[in-house]
Amino acid sequence: KVLGGKAYLLGYAPLEIYEMSENLPLLRSIAVKGSNGGDKKSDGKNRLGTFMGVMVPSLLGAYGVVIYERLSWFVGQAGMIEVLVMMIIAYIIVTLTVFSLSAMSTNGNMKGGGAYYIISRALGPEFGGSIGVVFFAANIVACTFFILGLTEALLFTFPQLPHSFWWNYLYGTVLLAILTAVCYIGAGFYAKISVLLLFAIWGSLLVGLGSFIFREPMVEQGYVGFNWNVFVDNLGSHYTDGEDFQTIFSLVFPFTTGLIAGSTMSGDLADPGKSIPRGTFAAIGITFVSYTVMVFMYGATCVALNEQGNGLLTNYYILQTVTVPSWIIAIGLFAAVMSSGLNAIIGGGRVLQALARDDLIPILRIFSTGSKKSDEPRRAIILLWACVQLMIFLGDLNLVGPYITMCFLLIFSFTNFACFLLSISGAPNFRPLYKYFSWHTALMGALASTGMMFFLAPLSAAISMIVVSGIFFYIHYRSPVTRWGDVSQALIFHQVRKYLLRLDDAKSHVKFWRPHFLLYVANPRSSIRVIDFVNSLKKGGLYVLGNVIEGDSTTEEALAEYEDRDGLWTKFISETHFKAFVNVVVSDSVKSGILNLMMLSGLGSMRPKTIILGFFQDEIPRDTRCENDYAPGVIEILAKFPNLRSRTHLTLPDYVDVIKQARSWGKSIVLTRNFENLDKSRIKINKLIVKKDDKRYVDVWFLQEDWVNTETCTWQLMLGHLTSRTTFWGKNTRLRVITTSSSPERVEVERQFLVEQLFKYRIDAEPMVLSS
């Protein structure tokens, strides 16, 4: 079927819908093999399933350094109740975000970049690019966090190793190099070893849980076995100096950020729309149960601090201390931290590659290239490695954690905000397969994420917003035009339609009058100066440029010319920045075309009330495109319009009939003449050389009988007044109202009358009376 000049084929071959154009996003490519369609290996890229592509990365992202090195310390500081409250808050925010993420990932085909891709395609390049940079930075900080944790674990497990700042930096460098090498090889290899890492983590945690249940007490180390008094004591908090709910929560939250790691693998998934929701929610449930069990295990068996100075508050590695054999926990710890580091590196590389391919920030173009075989983001991985290498200098795990929290809360906030806007926009094309969400959940997720940012660190949250705003404006002014169809257009359309329906002519009042112009233009090559002048008169009103193509509207030639002409006008408006709409019509005569423009221009109550026509003349118009002080792009577009006419296409009787018909329809008429001679550069005042009495005027002329017709009088005065309100004319000219007197004796009387009229209508102008 032909829709808007584009062909779409619907058929059973087998049970597939083929989308042949992206201009009409009504159809979405759906195939029985997955939302990407086709053979899973046909494009040479990795095609991972739900378990390998989403669930495993999400689990590994959550099972990081926290569960082995910091969870026991959290229980000692905040107590079981507050830690569980922190976990519930964090998981609520993550779950709400996953609702939104799942909805948007099932609304059409999803490419690489995860949350960045979703936000950029929903909110536009400015928001998407800003969050893409923040997402990449978050992965840098997260990888640094994991490398520092891995270094701590290495030194605890092998205390005989040399220990100093530079030795620690060396260990971190070597560990980072190993993780980078694994990610450099590719996502397929990463997926294969990630399963081994996951089973190593689960095995070590099960052995540790068994040791806490069956091992004899180690009172001196702070482990007393299951004890009711210890359990009750650990329900409450034991905050030490410098620690409180905010500082602990900023360290608790990072382990939940890894739960969206699977979404960053969207470009490697066989069916992102199905895999992301299923895999992520499975990971949320498994990790929440795991962490809850570990919290109760620590709280019921270990004291916060004993007489020997040991316990949950001082021993980060109490899990390894109690477990038999202890090297099992060491293996699990290394596997957990390595997996989290791998997630951060490969996820950050994917985000940077997607950002570079969108060409929003020109300096990042070099990172758009992927490997030939499987499109791995190797250049992006190298950059991330270099950034983490510098960040390792921080050397403190607790110092890095809050920055991860801030970055990911920002990402969560924008992800939910994007889903909220898509939901309320009412766009018919937003019909995700995942139904367990609403605009309420998306709004709650956005508010919760933003609120938590300012609750934890108001200053850091404000700085984050400023940084994102800076990137936003940079991309807005420097990035190329994209055709992603961001949600802002849908929201604008929704609001404009709603308020247009509420705009009622019956309720309009002269106090709030605005001019609505329809300017007929035969060819902008000779009329750009009058187009520019009328643009300065509109003062927030409706401005429509009308153009007529003579011909038979039923022929293909006329339709082709219409499409070309309409496209040229659109480019012309874009280059000149005139705030006008364009109506191009095809008609068998210029007269009927102009009448059609007068009848059909506008929408609802926003219709042109004033028709502006050029003065009738038989002379051939002058091409002024090379005489204008406009940008080269404007001159280039003007040259693409048809050559100027060699004869008039509108006869004098037809011209008069157009004016008569406009008056019978209640339209005001303005006739323009000699605007091709208007040179703004000659009007502009040079304040360095101009004399005090050197004034330029915009003159409004009245005949005596004009004052009898109040409507005509006020209309003329308003046109002059609107001219004086614009920046150029108000700065370089003075409004002057001129009338005539029948005798010299009445000049002063007429002048006083003119002053009174100007005062009455509140028009700031110089009165002038000439004796006829």
Side-chain angles (χ1 to χ4, degrees), residues 473-501:
F473 287 111
Y474 172 82
I475 295 175
H476 178 74
Y477 289 109
R478 299 295 299 272
S479 70
V481 177
T482 61
R483 297 186 62 83
W484 297 343
D486 60 271
V487 73
S488 64
Q489 295 301 306
L491 293 173
I492 291 171
F493 178 87
H494 181 269
Q495 293 300 105
V496 167
R497 173 187 169 276
K498 182 174 73 173
Y499 286 111
L500 268 176
L501 290 172

PDB file of all heavy atoms in Angstrom, residues 473-501:
ATOM      1  N   PHE A 473      24.036  21.921  26.404  1.00  0.00           N
ATOM      2  CA  PHE A 473      24.082  23.105  25.536  1.00  0.00           C
ATOM      3  C   PHE A 473      25.180  22.984  24.486  1.00  0.00           C
ATOM      4  O   PHE A 473      25.025  23.476  23.361  1.00  0.00           O
ATOM      5  CB  PHE A 473      24.271  24.370  26.383  1.00  0.00           C
ATOM      6  CG  PHE A 473      23.038  24.764  27.144  1.00  0.00           C
ATOM      7  CD1 PHE A 473      22.991  24.656  28.526  1.00  0.00           C
ATOM      8  CD2 PHE A 473      21.911  25.215  26.478  1.00  0.00           C
ATOM      9  CE1 PHE A 473      21.843  25.005  29.225  1.00  0.00           C
ATOM     10  CE2 PHE A 473      20.756  25.573  27.167  1.00  0.00           C
ATOM     11  CZ  PHE A 473      20.722  25.467  28.541  1.00  0.00           C
ATOM     12  N   TYR A 474      26.278  22.325  24.833  1.00  0.00           N
ATOM     13  CA  TYR A 474      27.330  22.109  23.833  1.00  0.00           C
ATOM     14  C   TYR A 474      26.789  21.296  22.665  1.00  0.00           C
ATOM     15  O   TYR A 474      26.974  21.649  21.491  1.00  0.00           O
ATOM     16  CB  TYR A 474      28.529  21.398  24.466  1.00  0.00           C
ATOM     17  CG  TYR A 474      29.565  20.970  23.451  1.00  0.00           C
ATOM     18  CD1 TYR A 474      30.512  21.877  22.986  1.00  0.00           C
ATOM     19  CD2 TYR A 474      29.583  19.667  22.941  1.00  0.00           C
ATOM     20  CE1 TYR A 474      31.458  21.498  22.043  1.00  0.00           C
ATOM     21  CE2 TYR A 474      30.517  19.280  22.010  1.00  0.00           C
ATOM     22  CZ  TYR A 474      31.464  20.201  21.557  1.00  0.00           C
ATOM     23  OH  TYR A 474      32.382  19.817  20.623  1.00  0.00           O
ATOM     24  N   ILE A 475      26.119  20.183  22.976  1.00  0.00           N
ATOM     25  CA  ILE A 475      25.570  19.324  21.917  1.00  0.00           C
ATOM     26  C   ILE A 475      24.465  20.052  21.156  1.00  0.00           C
ATOM     27  O   ILE A 475      24.348  19.919  19.934  1.00  0.00           O
ATOM     28  CB  ILE A 475      25.046  18.006  22.522  1.00  0.00           C
ATOM     29  CG1 ILE A 475      26.214  17.205  23.114  1.00  0.00           C
ATOM     30  CG2 ILE A 475      24.310  17.179  21.482  1.00  0.00           C
ATOM     31  CD1 ILE A 475      25.792  15.941  23.830  1.00  0.00           C
ATOM     32  N   HIS A 476      23.671  20.848  21.873  1.00  0.00           N
ATOM     33  CA  HIS A 476      22.565  21.563  21.232  1.00  0.00           C
ATOM     34  C   HIS A 476      23.074  22.510  20.146  1.00  0.00           C
ATOM     35  O   HIS A 476      22.460  22.623  19.068  1.00  0.00           O
ATOM     36  CB  HIS A 476      21.787  22.349  22.285  1.00  0.00           C
ATOM     37  CG  HIS A 476      20.657  23.156  21.730  1.00  0.00           C
ATOM     38  ND1 HIS A 476      19.488  22.581  21.294  1.00  0.00           N
ATOM     39  CD2 HIS A 476      20.532  24.495  21.520  1.00  0.00           C
ATOM     40  CE1 HIS A 476      18.676  23.526  20.845  1.00  0.00           C
ATOM     41  NE2 HIS A 476      19.286  24.694  20.975  1.00  0.00           N
ATOM     42  N   TYR A 477      24.192  23.180  20.418  1.00  0.00           N
ATOM     43  CA  TYR A 477      24.679  24.173  19.462  1.00  0.00           C
ATOM     44  C   TYR A 477      25.721  23.634  18.486  1.00  0.00           C
ATOM     45  O   TYR A 477      25.958  24.233  17.438  1.00  0.00           O
ATOM     46  CB  TYR A 477      25.280  25.365  20.227  1.00  0.00           C
ATOM     47  CG  TYR A 477      24.237  26.197  20.927  1.00  0.00           C
ATOM     48  CD1 TYR A 477      24.118  26.186  22.309  1.00  0.00           C
ATOM     49  CD2 TYR A 477      23.350  26.991  20.210  1.00  0.00           C
ATOM     50  CE1 TYR A 477      23.147  26.944  22.959  1.00  0.00           C
ATOM     51  CE2 TYR A 477      22.382  27.754  20.854  1.00  0.00           C
ATOM     52  CZ  TYR A 477      22.296  27.733  22.223  1.00  0.00           C
ATOM     53  OH  TYR A 477      21.325  28.475  22.851  1.00  0.00           O
ATOM     54  N   ARG A 478      26.349  22.501  18.809  1.00  0.00           N
ATOM     55  CA  ARG A 478      27.436  22.017  17.965  1.00  0.00           C
ATOM     56  C   ARG A 478      27.127  20.734  17.206  1.00  0.00           C
ATOM     57  O   ARG A 478      27.802  20.420  16.230  1.00  0.00           O
ATOM     58  CB  ARG A 478      28.690  21.773  18.833  1.00  0.00           C
ATOM     59  CG  ARG A 478      29.216  23.020  19.528  1.00  0.00           C
ATOM     60  CD  ARG A 478      29.716  24.043  18.514  1.00  0.00           C
ATOM     61  NE  ARG A 478      30.796  23.514  17.719  1.00  0.00           N
ATOM     62  CZ  ARG A 478      32.088  23.583  18.062  1.00  0.00           C
ATOM     63  NH1 ARG A 478      32.412  24.168  19.199  1.00  0.00           N
ATOM     64  NH2 ARG A 478      33.012  23.084  17.286  1.00  0.00           N
ATOM     65  N   SER A 479      26.155  19.963  17.646  1.00  0.00           N
ATOM     66  CA  SER A 479      25.916  18.659  17.016  1.00  0.00           C
ATOM     67  C   SER A 479      25.116  18.828  15.730  1.00  0.00           C
ATOM     68  O   SER A 479      24.375  19.792  15.563  1.00  0.00           O
ATOM     69  CB  SER A 479      25.164  17.728  17.971  1.00  0.00           C
ATOM     70  OG  SER A 479      23.838  18.162  18.134  1.00  0.00           O
ATOM     71  N   PRO A 480      25.251  17.873  14.788  1.00  0.00           N
ATOM     72  CA  PRO A 480      24.449  17.921  13.565  1.00  0.00           C
ATOM     73  C   PRO A 480      22.989  17.609  13.857  1.00  0.00           C
ATOM     74  O   PRO A 480      22.650  17.064  14.904  1.00  0.00           O
ATOM     75  CB  PRO A 480      25.083  16.818  12.693  1.00  0.00           C
ATOM     76  CG  PRO A 480      25.712  15.873  13.673  1.00  0.00           C
ATOM     77  CD  PRO A 480      26.171  16.726  14.818  1.00  0.00           C
ATOM     78  N   VAL A 481      22.133  17.969  12.906  1.00  0.00           N
ATOM     79  CA  VAL A 481      20.699  17.699  13.050  1.00  0.00           C
ATOM     80  C   VAL A 481      20.463  16.189  12.950  1.00  0.00           C
ATOM     81  O   VAL A 481      20.992  15.512  12.076  1.00  0.00           O
ATOM     82  CB  VAL A 481      19.903  18.428  11.951  1.00  0.00           C
ATOM     83  CG1 VAL A 481      18.424  18.088  12.058  1.00  0.00           C
ATOM     84  CG2 VAL A 481      20.106  19.926  12.065  1.00  0.00           C
ATOM     85  N   THR A 482      19.684  15.651  13.874  1.00  0.00           N
ATOM     86  CA  THR A 482      19.375  14.222  13.859  1.00  0.00           C
ATOM     87  C   THR A 482      17.894  14.026  13.532  1.00  0.00           C
ATOM     88  O   THR A 482      17.085  14.924  13.704  1.00  0.00           O
ATOM     89  CB  THR A 482      19.683  13.576  15.219  1.00  0.00           C
ATOM     90  OG1 THR A 482      18.855  14.194  16.230  1.00  0.00           O
ATOM     91  CG2 THR A 482      21.140  13.756  15.585  1.00  0.00           C
ATOM     92  N   ARG A 483      17.574  12.842  13.082  1.00  0.00           N
ATOM     93  CA  ARG A 483      16.188  12.503  12.747  1.00  0.00           C
ATOM     94  C   ARG A 483      15.728  11.332  13.614  1.00  0.00           C
ATOM     95  O   ARG A 483      15.184  10.338  13.120  1.00  0.00           O
ATOM     96  CB  ARG A 483      16.072  12.167  11.256  1.00  0.00           C
ATOM     97  CG  ARG A 483      16.429  13.337  10.349  1.00  0.00           C
ATOM     98  CD  ARG A 483      16.157  12.993   8.893  1.00  0.00           C
ATOM     99  NE  ARG A 483      14.749  12.718   8.659  1.00  0.00           N
ATOM    100  CZ  ARG A 483      13.824  13.641   8.442  1.00  0.00           C
ATOM    101  NH1 ARG A 483      14.162  14.919   8.436  1.00  0.00           N
ATOM    102  NH2 ARG A 483      12.578  13.297   8.209  1.00  0.00           N
ATOM    103  N   TRP A 484      15.974  11.441  14.916  1.00  0.00           N
ATOM    104  CA  TRP A 484      15.608  10.369  15.837  1.00  0.00           C
ATOM    105  C   TRP A 484      14.155  10.469  16.276  1.00  0.00           C
ATOM    106  O   TRP A 484      13.590   9.513  16.770  1.00  0.00           O
ATOM    107  CB  TRP A 484      16.507  10.390  17.067  1.00  0.00           C
ATOM    108  CG  TRP A 484      17.935  10.142  16.756  1.00  0.00           C
ATOM    109  CD1 TRP A 484      18.448   9.601  15.610  1.00  0.00           C
ATOM    110  CD2 TRP A 484      19.052  10.436  17.591  1.00  0.00           C
ATOM    111  NE1 TRP A 484      19.810   9.533  15.683  1.00  0.00           N
ATOM    112  CE2 TRP A 484      20.222  10.038  16.898  1.00  0.00           C
ATOM    113  CE3 TRP A 484      19.188  10.975  18.861  1.00  0.00           C
ATOM    114  CZ2 TRP A 484      21.482  10.174  17.424  1.00  0.00           C
ATOM    115  CZ3 TRP A 484      20.442  11.110  19.388  1.00  0.00           C
ATOM    116  CH2 TRP A 484      21.590  10.713  18.677  1.00  0.00           C
ATOM    117  N   GLY A 485      13.571  11.671  16.120  1.00  0.00           N
ATOM    118  CA  GLY A 485      12.195  11.823  16.571  1.00  0.00           C
ATOM    119  C   GLY A 485      12.073  11.832  18.080  1.00  0.00           C
ATOM    120  O   GLY A 485      11.463  10.943  18.652  1.00  0.00           O
ATOM    121  N   ASP A 486      12.680  12.823  18.739  1.00  0.00           N
ATOM    122  CA  ASP A 486      12.641  12.843  20.196  1.00  0.00           C
ATOM    123  C   ASP A 486      11.250  13.204  20.689  1.00  0.00           C
ATOM    124  O   ASP A 486      10.425  13.786  19.972  1.00  0.00           O
ATOM    125  CB  ASP A 486      13.687  13.817  20.761  1.00  0.00           C
ATOM    126  CG  ASP A 486      13.465  15.236  20.294  1.00  0.00           C
ATOM    127  OD1 ASP A 486      14.002  15.602  19.226  1.00  0.00           O
ATOM    128  OD2 ASP A 486      12.750  15.968  20.986  1.00  0.00           O
ATOM    129  N   VAL A 487      11.002  12.875  21.939  1.00  0.00           N
ATOM    130  CA  VAL A 487       9.657  12.985  22.510  1.00  0.00           C
ATOM    131  C   VAL A 487       9.198  14.433  22.658  1.00  0.00           C
ATOM    132  O   VAL A 487       8.011  14.696  22.778  1.00  0.00           O
ATOM    133  CB  VAL A 487       9.620  12.271  23.877  1.00  0.00           C
ATOM    134  CG1 VAL A 487      10.375  13.078  24.925  1.00  0.00           C
ATOM    135  CG2 VAL A 487       8.194  12.010  24.327  1.00  0.00           C
ATOM    136  N   SER A 488      10.120  15.383  22.622  1.00  0.00           N
ATOM    137  CA  SER A 488       9.720  16.781  22.770  1.00  0.00           C
ATOM    138  C   SER A 488       8.736  17.192  21.678  1.00  0.00           C
ATOM    139  O   SER A 488       7.804  17.967  21.919  1.00  0.00           O
ATOM    140  CB  SER A 488      10.946  17.693  22.740  1.00  0.00           C
ATOM    141  OG  SER A 488      11.593  17.627  21.485  1.00  0.00           O
ATOM    142  N   GLN A 489       8.934  16.676  20.458  1.00  0.00           N
ATOM    143  CA  GLN A 489       8.025  17.017  19.374  1.00  0.00           C
ATOM    144  C   GLN A 489       6.618  16.473  19.640  1.00  0.00           C
ATOM    145  O   GLN A 489       5.616  17.123  19.348  1.00  0.00           O
ATOM    146  CB  GLN A 489       8.564  16.471  18.049  1.00  0.00           C
ATOM    147  CG  GLN A 489       9.872  17.101  17.609  1.00  0.00           C
ATOM    148  CD  GLN A 489       9.745  18.608  17.431  1.00  0.00           C
ATOM    149  OE1 GLN A 489       8.882  19.102  16.719  1.00  0.00           O
ATOM    150  NE2 GLN A 489      10.607  19.355  18.111  1.00  0.00           N
ATOM    151  N   ALA A 490       6.562  15.266  20.190  1.00  0.00           N
ATOM    152  CA  ALA A 490       5.252  14.682  20.511  1.00  0.00           C
ATOM    153  C   ALA A 490       4.554  15.491  21.603  1.00  0.00           C
ATOM    154  O   ALA A 490       3.339  15.722  21.546  1.00  0.00           O
ATOM    155  CB  ALA A 490       5.419  13.233  20.950  1.00  0.00           C
ATOM    156  N   LEU A 491       5.318  15.925  22.606  1.00  0.00           N
ATOM    157  CA  LEU A 491       4.726  16.718  23.685  1.00  0.00           C
ATOM    158  C   LEU A 491       4.269  18.087  23.189  1.00  0.00           C
ATOM    159  O   LEU A 491       3.202  18.581  23.571  1.00  0.00           O
ATOM    160  CB  LEU A 491       5.740  16.888  24.821  1.00  0.00           C
ATOM    161  CG  LEU A 491       6.103  15.609  25.580  1.00  0.00           C
ATOM    162  CD1 LEU A 491       7.234  15.882  26.547  1.00  0.00           C
ATOM    163  CD2 LEU A 491       4.900  15.072  26.332  1.00  0.00           C
ATOM    164  N   ILE A 492       5.085  18.696  22.334  1.00  0.00           N
ATOM    165  CA  ILE A 492       4.702  19.999  21.781  1.00  0.00           C
ATOM    166  C   ILE A 492       3.424  19.862  20.973  1.00  0.00           C
ATOM    167  O   ILE A 492       2.501  20.670  21.087  1.00  0.00           O
ATOM    168  CB  ILE A 492       5.851  20.563  20.911  1.00  0.00           C
ATOM    169  CG1 ILE A 492       7.043  20.947  21.798  1.00  0.00           C
ATOM    170  CG2 ILE A 492       5.377  21.773  20.119  1.00  0.00           C
ATOM    171  CD1 ILE A 492       8.280  21.307  21.024  1.00  0.00           C
ATOM    172  N   PHE A 493       3.370  18.822  20.130  1.00  0.00           N
ATOM    173  CA  PHE A 493       2.171  18.598  19.330  1.00  0.00           C
ATOM    174  C   PHE A 493       0.945  18.410  20.225  1.00  0.00           C
ATOM    175  O   PHE A 493      -0.127  18.973  19.969  1.00  0.00           O
ATOM    176  CB  PHE A 493       2.362  17.370  18.446  1.00  0.00           C
ATOM    177  CG  PHE A 493       1.156  17.021  17.614  1.00  0.00           C
ATOM    178  CD1 PHE A 493       0.973  17.599  16.371  1.00  0.00           C
ATOM    179  CD2 PHE A 493       0.203  16.125  18.078  1.00  0.00           C
ATOM    180  CE1 PHE A 493      -0.142  17.296  15.608  1.00  0.00           C
ATOM    181  CE2 PHE A 493      -0.913  15.812  17.321  1.00  0.00           C
ATOM    182  CZ  PHE A 493      -1.090  16.408  16.079  1.00  0.00           C
ATOM    183  N   HIS A 494       1.121  17.621  21.279  1.00  0.00           N
ATOM    184  CA  HIS A 494       0.004  17.346  22.191  1.00  0.00           C
ATOM    185  C   HIS A 494      -0.503  18.632  22.831  1.00  0.00           C
ATOM    186  O   HIS A 494      -1.720  18.882  22.900  1.00  0.00           O
ATOM    187  CB  HIS A 494       0.472  16.356  23.270  1.00  0.00           C
ATOM    188  CG  HIS A 494      -0.589  15.977  24.252  1.00  0.00           C
ATOM    189  ND1 HIS A 494      -0.776  16.670  25.435  1.00  0.00           N
ATOM    190  CD2 HIS A 494      -1.520  14.998  24.238  1.00  0.00           C
ATOM    191  CE1 HIS A 494      -1.779  16.125  26.099  1.00  0.00           C
ATOM    192  NE2 HIS A 494      -2.242  15.111  25.402  1.00  0.00           N
ATOM    193  N   GLN A 495       0.423  19.472  23.299  1.00  0.00           N
ATOM    194  CA  GLN A 495       0.028  20.710  23.969  1.00  0.00           C
ATOM    195  C   GLN A 495      -0.557  21.718  22.981  1.00  0.00           C
ATOM    196  O   GLN A 495      -1.550  22.395  23.279  1.00  0.00           O
ATOM    197  CB  GLN A 495       1.228  21.319  24.697  1.00  0.00           C
ATOM    198  CG  GLN A 495       1.722  20.485  25.874  1.00  0.00           C
ATOM    199  CD  GLN A 495       0.652  20.307  26.936  1.00  0.00           C
ATOM    200  OE1 GLN A 495       0.061  19.240  27.074  1.00  0.00           O
ATOM    201  NE2 GLN A 495       0.386  21.359  27.678  1.00  0.00           N
ATOM    202  N   VAL A 496       0.064  21.828  21.798  1.00  0.00           N
ATOM    203  CA  VAL A 496      -0.431  22.782  20.811  1.00  0.00           C
ATOM    204  C   VAL A 496      -1.852  22.413  20.388  1.00  0.00           C
ATOM    205  O   VAL A 496      -2.734  23.276  20.293  1.00  0.00           O
ATOM    206  CB  VAL A 496       0.505  22.814  19.593  1.00  0.00           C
ATOM    207  CG1 VAL A 496      -0.146  23.560  18.431  1.00  0.00           C
ATOM    208  CG2 VAL A 496       1.822  23.484  19.953  1.00  0.00           C
ATOM    209  N   ARG A 497      -2.075  21.143  20.126  1.00  0.00           N
ATOM    210  CA  ARG A 497      -3.416  20.694  19.735  1.00  0.00           C
ATOM    211  C   ARG A 497      -4.434  20.998  20.842  1.00  0.00           C
ATOM    212  O   ARG A 497      -5.537  21.486  20.586  1.00  0.00           O
ATOM    213  CB  ARG A 497      -3.388  19.202  19.431  1.00  0.00           C
ATOM    214  CG  ARG A 497      -4.764  18.603  19.166  1.00  0.00           C
ATOM    215  CD  ARG A 497      -4.679  17.092  19.044  1.00  0.00           C
ATOM    216  NE  ARG A 497      -5.997  16.482  19.055  1.00  0.00           N
ATOM    217  CZ  ARG A 497      -6.687  16.191  20.145  1.00  0.00           C
ATOM    218  NH1 ARG A 497      -6.180  16.461  21.341  1.00  0.00           N
ATOM    219  NH2 ARG A 497      -7.876  15.639  20.070  1.00  0.00           N
ATOM    220  N   LYS A 498      -4.040  20.718  22.089  1.00  0.00           N
ATOM    221  CA  LYS A 498      -4.959  20.935  23.205  1.00  0.00           C
ATOM    222  C   LYS A 498      -5.338  22.405  23.338  1.00  0.00           C
ATOM    223  O   LYS A 498      -6.514  22.750  23.497  1.00  0.00           O
ATOM    224  CB  LYS A 498      -4.312  20.432  24.505  1.00  0.00           C
ATOM    225  CG  LYS A 498      -5.225  20.584  25.725  1.00  0.00           C
ATOM    226  CD  LYS A 498      -4.609  19.947  26.951  1.00  0.00           C
ATOM    227  CE  LYS A 498      -3.457  20.758  27.497  1.00  0.00           C
ATOM    228  NZ  LYS A 498      -2.961  20.233  28.794  1.00  0.00           N
ATOM    229  N   TYR A 499      -4.340  23.280  23.229  1.00  0.00           N
ATOM    230  CA  TYR A 499      -4.631  24.704  23.415  1.00  0.00           C
ATOM    231  C   TYR A 499      -5.256  25.336  22.176  1.00  0.00           C
ATOM    232  O   TYR A 499      -5.985  26.339  22.288  1.00  0.00           O
ATOM    233  CB  TYR A 499      -3.363  25.441  23.829  1.00  0.00           C
ATOM    234  CG  TYR A 499      -2.989  25.145  25.261  1.00  0.00           C
ATOM    235  CD1 TYR A 499      -1.861  24.395  25.570  1.00  0.00           C
ATOM    236  CD2 TYR A 499      -3.775  25.608  26.313  1.00  0.00           C
ATOM    237  CE1 TYR A 499      -1.536  24.096  26.884  1.00  0.00           C
ATOM    238  CE2 TYR A 499      -3.452  25.325  27.628  1.00  0.00           C
ATOM    239  CZ  TYR A 499      -2.329  24.571  27.910  1.00  0.00           C
ATOM    240  OH  TYR A 499      -2.024  24.282  29.208  1.00  0.00           O
ATOM    241  N   LEU A 500      -5.000  24.763  21.007  1.00  0.00           N
ATOM    242  CA  LEU A 500      -5.689  25.251  19.818  1.00  0.00           C
ATOM    243  C   LEU A 500      -7.185  24.987  19.927  1.00  0.00           C
ATOM    244  O   LEU A 500      -8.017  25.818  19.519  1.00  0.00           O
ATOM    245  CB  LEU A 500      -5.133  24.572  18.563  1.00  0.00           C
ATOM    246  CG  LEU A 500      -3.985  25.292  17.847  1.00  0.00           C
ATOM    247  CD1 LEU A 500      -3.483  24.458  16.686  1.00  0.00           C
ATOM    248  CD2 LEU A 500      -4.408  26.670  17.373  1.00  0.00           C
ATOM    249  N   LEU A 501      -7.528  23.830  20.465  1.00  0.00           N
ATOM    250  CA  LEU A 501      -8.940  23.510  20.649  1.00  0.00           C
ATOM    251  C   LEU A 501      -9.590  24.436  21.674  1.00  0.00           C
ATOM    252  O   LEU A 501     -10.792  24.733  21.595  1.00  0.00           O
ATOM    253  CB  LEU A 501      -9.093  22.051  21.094  1.00  0.00           C
ATOM    254  CG  LEU A 501      -8.759  20.989  20.036  1.00  0.00           C
ATOM    255  CD1 LEU A 501      -8.754  19.598  20.659  1.00  0.00           C
ATOM    256  CD2 LEU A 501      -9.752  21.051  18.888  1.00  0.00           C
TER     257      LEU A 501
END
